[in-house]
Amino acid sequence: MSAKATASTPAASTPTVIGVPAPQEDVDAIVAFVAGVQHAQQNALPDAFLGGFREDAIWTTAHGRRLTGLPEISAFTRKVLPPQADSPVTATYTVDLILFVRPDIAAVKIRQRPATRDGVYLDEIFHGQEDPSALVAAHPEAVPGTPTYFLAKDDGVWRIAAAQNTQVLDVETLTAG
């Protein structure tokens, strides 16, 4: 049985919130921010995606490429994001954990799941497998991600100060679902 992702909206869940006390409105704003990232990615909207970064941000892609500053992040994004508009595979983003380091600084752990545009999660092929390595090699598009966004709230707006987008290759995590 396949779980259904909704290609236009993130999966509904309540993230775990830890660290210093923060108002619910900031939790809600961060969840909405991540939904905006998902929307920009799914619809191949570079300007919408780039609007979520600070000018001095650091971004590390899932394959380890470090991008420093908005001009470099922008050049990369404008090259790789538009061709994704026609891809049959997209991803959903769910906020799992928010660590408020300070009221204006948050580390956000995200569950990123590849899905078809009609809503089938691709990473389910790994669930329950003892050794998914052959499946990972045969279906790299199905490997989920586990991004961490380090957000700063400047002038009332949450933006990415630094982010690491990592593919899930840990066998225990990959096969557990």
Side-chain angles (χ1 to χ4, degrees), residues 17-21 98-101:
V17 179
I18 59 175
V20 301
I98 302 172
L99 163 62
F100 283 97
V101 178

Side-chain angles (χ1 to χ4, degrees), residues 27-28 163:
V27 173
D28 296 343

Side-chain angles (χ1 to χ4, degrees), residues 9-168:
T9 58
S13 70
T14 302
T16 300
V17 179
I18 59 175
V20 301
Q24 184 62 42
E25 68 186 36
D26 282 327
V27 173
D28 296 343
I30 289 170
V31 170
F33 174 87
V34 172
V37 171
Q38 173 182 293
H39 176 78
Q41 290 279 348
Q42 288 180 345
N43 294 286
L45 304 170
D47 290 333
F49 179 74
L50 293 166
F53 286 88
R54 290 170 44 112
E55 187 68 32
D56 58 353
I58 299 169
W59 177 269
T60 304
T61 70
H63 300 286
R65 183 170 179 184
R66 186 188 75 201
L67 306 168
T68 304
L70 190 55
E72 190 173 355
I73 295 166
S74 179
F76 177 82
T77 300
R78 291 182 191 289
K79 179 180 176 184
V80 302
L81 190 55
Q84 296 304 309
D86 296 327
S87 174
V89 176
T90 188
T92 61
Y93 295 68
T94 303
V95 178
D96 280 342
L97 175 78
I98 302 172
L99 163 62
F100 283 97
V101 178
R102 298 186 331 210
D104 62 337
I105 301 291
V108 182
K109 197 68 196 148
I110 297 160
R111 183 175 188 201
Q112 181 186 49
R113 296 185 71 191
T116 62
R117 296 236 178 231
D118 62 353
V120 178
Y121 283 126
L122 301 178
D123 61 339
E124 289 190 350
I125 65 170
F126 304 119
H127 299 178
Q129 299 289 320
E130 283 187 38
D131 181 10
S133 57
L135 284 174
V136 168
H139 300 284
E141 76 287 352
V143 176
T146 179
T148 300
Y149 296 167
F150 189 74
L151 302 180
K153 186 177 181 184
D154 297 316
D155 299 322
V157 178
W158 289 99
R159 288 194 177 85
I160 295 172
Q164 172 77 44
N165 191 8
T166 304
Q167 288 187 312
V168 175

